[in-house]
Amino acid sequence: MAEDNLCIALNQVGKFVDTPDGKLDILNNISLDVKYQEAVVIKGASGSGKTTLLGLMAGLDQASSGDVFLFGENLARRNEEQRASVRAGRVGFVFQSFHLVQGANALQNVMLPLELSGIDNAPQLAIESLRQVGLEKKVNTLVEHLSGGEQQRVAIARAFAIKPQVLFADEPTGNLDAGTGRQIADLMFHLRDQSGTTLVLVTHESELLERGDRQILIESGRLL
Amino acid sequence: MKLRRATIHSYWLMFVATVITVAIVTSSQLITDRIGLLLDRQASELLAADMVVISGREFDAEYREVAKQHGLRVSSSVSMRTAIFIDDNPRLVELKAVDNAYPLRGRLERALGVTGERTYASGIPASGEVWVGSKLAELVGQSFSLGEASFDARWLLTFEPDRGGAIFNLAPRVLMNLEDLPATGLVVPGSRVRHRMMFAGELSDINRFKIWLTINLKAGEEIQDLENARPEMRRALERTRKFFALAIVLTLVIAMAAIAITARYTANREAPKVAMLRAFGISQRSLFRYYLRQLGGLWVAATIAGIALGWVTQFPLQWALDGWFGKSLPQVYSLKPFLSATLVGFLALAGFSLPYLVNATATPPMQVLRTAVNRRSWLRGLLISGSAIVAVFVVLVLLMQSSMLAVATLALVLVCAFVLPLVLGWMIRLLLFSSQRRFWLRQYLLSRLQAVSRGAIYVMSGFSLVLIAILLIAVVKDELLGSWHEQLPQDIPNYFLINIRSDDIDAVGAYMQQHRIESSKPYALARARLTQINSVDIGAIDFVDPRAEHLVKHTFNMTHARELPDDNEIVAGEWLDADSPRAQVSVEQGMAERLELEIGDQLTLTVGSKTLRAPVTSIRSVLWENFKPNFYLITNPELLADMPQTGLMSAYIEDRSRLDLKRLLKRFPSITLLDISEIMARVRAIVDKASVALQFFFIFALVSAMIVLLAAIQTGRQEREIESSLLRALSAHTSQLYRVHVLEFTLMGGLIGFFSASFATLAGWVISVYFFNIEFHFSLAVWAYGMLSSCLVLTIAGTLVSRRVYNVSPMKILRS
């Protein structure tokens, strides 16, 4: 049983996949706790298993062994539908490739998770969130017409609009130039400081690593 | 090697689409050739053969020998007018002597009396006996003399297949065995006899023999085949063939749409690979050559597979059609279907896929570093649309029998290809504008359809094209069949009363009225030969249309009228001024076209021994299929006043009125009764068989449509999976994902159905009115069926095909 002050707890978690050459271990015997309001940065080389670890912590994937607790709920024995219920309205995501809905404007993209969670005043909350990321003048702009940095701002606004208890960010600056990446990182940490949201961030950039409360290094599926 | 494997994998959809295209051409050509041949055979039964040569003299024995060398069956008949004596009164009869092979197509029917049961005859009259027409019904069971010999009238002849032709010129029929003819002594030098030699066999053999015969034909000999047989039959066959051509082409358009959609998909998938190869320094030219080789290989493999599939497909279809048609489809041995299929496969593949691949080879190498849209230059856009247009046009010209129809179909395809994406885009924008308060779910769906990157508009346009084609086949089919059936109602005349003496016309009319027999008004009938056009002897004029030759020797039905007959329409000039004393003549459109007649041309006609001259004052279209009295030439009453003429009437006589008929014939002995119900039944049979054949094409079109649908859904699957994964990560439930997809497909279906029904109705109207010359009826049912079927098919197929999407892991969004 996870402790009450733990947002995420992983207990001897393993993840493997079957390949034609036999079982391939991606994560091995991972145990890890993340407290509420903590900012944890996970760093590792390509193929080290950091994205898989993020997916397991967020309940996007199921562990092959061990227990994963999110908000005190054990995700190990829950199907995707039940895991979605645990995430609903409490988890935000920021992806490397933004993953915005093409053909929709900035406002609509931010409204999407609010409406999916059945929140009534979605437009107001979305506008407020866009204002926080400095895009109040571009609410009606189609996202494909925005720059890379602006698209990532919309993604951040979308993530913070639902006022999540935990934000998972996967290489949020990976697709941006250094200057824009720095601005995005500043924005994300600023919003996180304001809202007290727990942050789990996967990156391979040293600059971001230093901004977390705690750094976790992963190599060949094991925590160092 | 790995690269090659990956390429082949990404090409499989395009390969399947090409296989289907080739298979459609192969099987449809194989089957339509065979259906066409069967329909010809049906019509041949009205000639009692596939081809007939007619002459006033005996034929060279060489004709029979050469025909047999060509593998044809041959039959001969001799017909002549002669008199027989009944109770010492002379009666003019049309004597026909036939050999044992007669009829080569169709069957004779006989009965023991006017009210007796009609049965098929297994042969011809035995030696020493004759069968007589209904006009001589009273002779059945008696003996009478024909020239120097005596014969027993054993049966009433109720139907002979080739009693078409000059139907208004018939005296009562007496049918006898050709072997008995010499004994009658009726055929002597100088006798006016008509020799017919009939031929039947495989179409290719008939065609080869026809070439030989045409070259060796003697003066005074005339070939008659389906081309110049009965006009009502010819019209029915022409329409049927036109429709077959339309149905095949529309089915092909569907298959080609599948190639276009899959080519676009393949090119998009190839773009990252091209960027990578170009980044490594491989030139655009080398890449183009590489893709050209891939396409060449795909074409060869798809052609072999498509021809095999098309060849195999004809057998279940043949089996199914055999049951419906009541007889086996005749075999056609020709390489044409296979060659056409190979060529069409090449054109479709090259026309639709090559430009996309050219565009793919231009993917900038920068794309390996940063995903960017490979924007097409206007030149490449023009290349893509231009080559597709050329491909469609060449295929249409290759396969369609009517150039007008080919141009119209191309216009339809172009309208669909260019206008549909615009219209659908506007419609989506309009719907987006009308609902701005909430994003989920309606606006989210509309944004998905509008997103350029997803290409939903193009997929929708592609499927719209398919649905338009299907609805068009259905709409035109219904109009065509409806129109045929309208023209052939149950109570149309089934008898012609001919040779009514002028003095008897009023009395016959009164008799019909008294006995409540439905009949037309009496028409005057004169038999006219056209001898000169603008004072030039008709034999000296060189006509372009080969069918004119038949008309040059033809005796035309001519009448006079004050008013334009029903179902006739003036296409040029003005209708006769009945009160004017000046000579005027109105000419049937087909005759005018073949003889190149124009308004104002001076015609010289002979009626009996008299000659008349009149200018052409109008040209009329005639609805030959209505089985009412129809005339090639109509003059003003004044002109025919002194010409030899008889009366003609059509009537609908039910079986229960047969006795009244017998009394009528007794009271007016000059009348010859012509039963046309059998001919009508044949035309009806053609219409019904055509309808079955059309259903077959409809099924083909539906199968192709499903391929397009699957290809279209498949092309968007990757984007769909990513989006579902995103929604999953944003905590959407399965039910929400399910709702998104079901509603997306339903919305697409609704929009596609609405526009497809609108376009199909518009195109159906154009095709019906301008190419089939039939009236078009607008029907809301087309919209209802179009939208309903489109929604149902898209929703069910889309939901089933995309079922993996509902279970996609949200991890995919992290990995993508």
Side-chain angles (χ1 to χ4, degrees), chain A residues 175-197:
Chain A
N175 267 5
L176 304 170
D177 61 72
T180 312
R182 203 171 302 117
Q183 285 174 13
I184 289 297
D186 288 346
L187 178 67
M188 207 160 51
F189 278 94
H190 170 70
L191 290 174
R192 177 253 163 190
D193 292 342
Q194 269 192 336
S195 59
T197 303

Side-chain angles (χ1 to χ4, degrees), chain B residues 19-286:
Chain B
V19 168
I20 294 290
T21 305
V22 174
I24 285 172
V25 179
T26 310
S27 63
S28 61
Q29 291 229 334
L30 281 170
I31 284 287
T32 44
D33 277 3
R34 297 176 69 180
I35 290 172
L37 191 58
L38 182 68
L39 291 174
D40 281 352
R41 289 270 170 88
Q42 291 282 316
S44 295
E45 290 180 6
L46 295 175
L47 284 176
D50 293 332
M51 187 173 70
V52 179
V53 59
I54 302 165
S55 175
R57 294 194 307 269
E58 254 187 284
F59 297 108
D60 280 357
E62 190 189 9
Y63 287 6
R64 183 178 282 270
E65 283 162 24
V66 176
K68 285 191 168 171
Q69 284 166 12
H70 280 80
L72 303 178
R73 291 184 294 128
V74 184
S75 172
S76 295
S77 74
V78 177
S79 55
M80 60 189 297
R81 284 192 166 191
T82 187
I84 60 168
F85 286 86
I86 303 169
D87 302 331
D88 296 330
N89 294 319
R91 290 285 299 276
L92 192 67
V93 298
E94 189 81 22
L95 177 68
K96 181 165 159 183
V98 294
D99 66 9
N100 284 323
Y102 176 85
L104 295 175
R105 302 277 184 216
R107 293 165 83 174
L108 292 168
E109 257 182 39
R110 62 189 183 180
L112 282 170
V114 172
T115 52
E117 193 190 344
R118 296 161 67 149
T119 54
Y120 284 121
S122 55
I124 60 163
S127 184
E129 73 175 39
V130 291
W131 299 350
V132 295
S134 57
K135 178 71 188 64
L136 301 172
E138 69 271 23
L139 288 183
V140 175
Q142 297 179 27
S143 294
F144 62 91
S145 296
L146 262 173
E148 296 161 7
S150 178
F151 293 88
D152 294 334
R154 292 285 299 274
W155 293 88
L156 186 70
L157 181 65
T158 52
F159 178 74
E160 52 179 303
D162 51 342
R163 199 166 186 178
I167 57 171
F168 302 123
N169 200 25
L170 292 176
R173 168 68 83 215
V174 173
L175 188 74
M176 66 182 292
N177 195 311
L178 190 59
E179 287 174 7
D180 289 342
L181 189 62
T184 62
L186 291 172
V187 182
V188 291
S191 300
R192 283 176 64 90
V193 295
R194 207 164 165 79
H195 294 267
R196 288 163 61 89
M197 193 175 276
M198 292 157 274
F199 310 94
E202 295 295 337
L203 182 64
S204 53
D205 297 333
I206 287 283
N207 287 340
R208 279 190 299 122
F209 178 65
K210 189 178 176 183
I211 294 169
W212 179 88
L213 191 60
T214 308
I215 296 166
N216 291 282
L217 215 56
K218 313 280 183 303
E221 292 176 350
E222 179 193 343
I223 294 175
Q224 199 176 54
D225 60 11
L226 290 177
E227 289 298 316
N228 49 29
R230 302 190 57 81
E232 63 269 31
M233 194 59 66
R234 198 184 63 234
R235 285 279 285 267
L237 287 172
E238 273 173 11
R239 278 185 177 176
T240 310
R241 290 202 172 121
K242 265 189 190 177
F243 189 81
F244 282 169
L246 180 71
I248 293 168
V249 166
L250 289 176
T251 314
L252 254 184
V253 165
I254 298 170
M256 289 196 287
I259 295 181
I261 288 175
T262 53
R264 187 172 176 274
Y265 170 57
T266 308
N268 285 347
R269 281 188 59 138
E270 291 299 294
K273 192 203 297 178
V274 168
M276 184 265 291
L277 291 170
R278 288 191 70 189
F280 280 114
I282 294 174
S283 70
Q284 213 171 323
R285 183 186 288 249
S286 306

Side-chain angles (χ1 to χ4, degrees), chain A residues 51-52 54-55 60-61 80-81 84-85 87-88 93 95 99 101-104 108 111-112 115-116 123 158 170, chain B residues 437-440 443-444 447 451 453 722 726-729 731-734 736 809-811 813-816:
Chain A
T51 299
T52 306
L54 182 87
L60 298 182
D61 201 1
E80 169 49 37
E81 196 70 1
S85 297
R87 291 196 302 270
F93 286 97
F95 306 103
H99 290 304
V101 177
Q102 303 291 300
Q108 290 167 332
M111 281 163 67
L112 181 61
E115 292 185 339
L116 277 174
R158 178 177 67 185
D170 181 32
Chain B
R437 280 189 58 209
R438 283 182 66 84
F439 181 54
W440 185 264
Q443 281 216 303
Y444 172 74
S447 332
S453 59
I722 301 275
L726 172 68
L727 289 177
R728 278 268 188 221
S731 309
H733 293 283
T734 305
Q736 287 172 309
S809 165
M811 273 305 281
I813 198 78
L814 289 178
R815 303 267 181 227
S816 65

Side-chain angles (χ1 to χ4, degrees), chain B residues 672-704:
Chain B
T672 297
L673 201 63
L674 188 70
D675 181 355
I676 56 165
S677 54
E678 188 66 25
I679 295 168
M680 283 187 327
R682 298 296 160 104
V683 173
R684 271 212 187 92
I686 286 181
V687 173
D688 291 342
K689 286 172 175 67
S691 135
V692 173
L694 298 182
Q695 282 171 22
F696 147 67
F697 283 112
F698 201 71
I699 293 167
F700 234 143
L702 283 178
V703 172
S704 308

Side-chain angles (χ1 to χ4, degrees), chain A residues 27-221:
Chain A
L27 292 177
N28 225 321
N29 207 21
I30 304 270
S31 292
L32 169 71
D33 293 340
V34 179
K35 291 182 186 135
Y36 282 107
Q37 300 189 346
E38 193 177 10
V40 176
V41 181
I42 303 170
K43 191 187 176 195
S46 292
S48 59
K50 56 185 189 299
T51 299
T52 306
L53 179 61
L54 182 87
L56 288 177
M57 291 165 85
L60 298 182
D61 201 1
Q62 203 154 23
S64 306
S65 61
D67 292 317
V68 177
F69 293 91
L70 179 63
F71 310 127
E73 307 272 358
N74 192 346
L75 303 181
R77 278 171 283 281
R78 289 170 191 257
N79 60 24
E80 169 49 37
E81 196 70 1
Q82 292 163 329
R83 295 200 304 271
S85 297
V86 174
R87 291 196 302 270
R90 300 163 83 182
V91 171
F93 286 97
V94 176
F95 306 103
Q96 181 177 359
S97 302
F98 325 138
H99 290 304
L100 299 172
V101 177
Q102 303 291 300
N105 61 31
L107 178 67
Q108 290 167 332
N109 267 279
V110 180
M111 281 163 67
L112 181 61
L114 295 166
E115 292 185 339
L116 277 174
S117 303
I119 296 169
D120 285 339
N121 55 342
Q124 289 83 349
L125 290 174
I127 289 170
E128 173 57 23
S129 197
L130 282 165
R131 194 192 56 74
Q132 285 181 328
V133 298
L135 287 179
E136 62 272 28
K137 288 182 180 165
K138 300 217 168 170
V139 288
N140 291 320
T141 308
L142 287 177
V143 289
E144 49 265 49
H145 296 160
L146 296 174
S147 68
E150 286 173 327
Q151 289 196 37
Q152 195 60 304
R153 280 166 188 262
V154 175
I156 291 169
R158 178 177 67 185
F160 278 100
I162 57 166
K163 301 196 175 5
Q165 286 178 285
V166 58
L167 174 71
F168 293 96
D170 181 32
E171 304 275 13
T173 58
N175 267 5
L176 304 170
D177 61 72
T180 312
R182 203 171 302 117
Q183 285 174 13
I184 289 297
D186 288 346
L187 178 67
M188 207 160 51
F189 278 94
H190 170 70
L191 290 174
R192 177 253 163 190
D193 292 342
Q194 269 192 336
S195 59
T197 303
T198 309
L199 178 67
V200 178
L201 191 150
V202 164
T203 187
H204 59 268
E205 290 177 34
S206 307
E207 197 180 322
L208 275 178
L209 193 67
E210 290 158 11
R211 299 181 72 159
D213 299 331
R214 186 151 56 106
Q215 297 86 38
I216 295 172
L217 293 176
I218 185 167
E219 195 178 288
S220 303

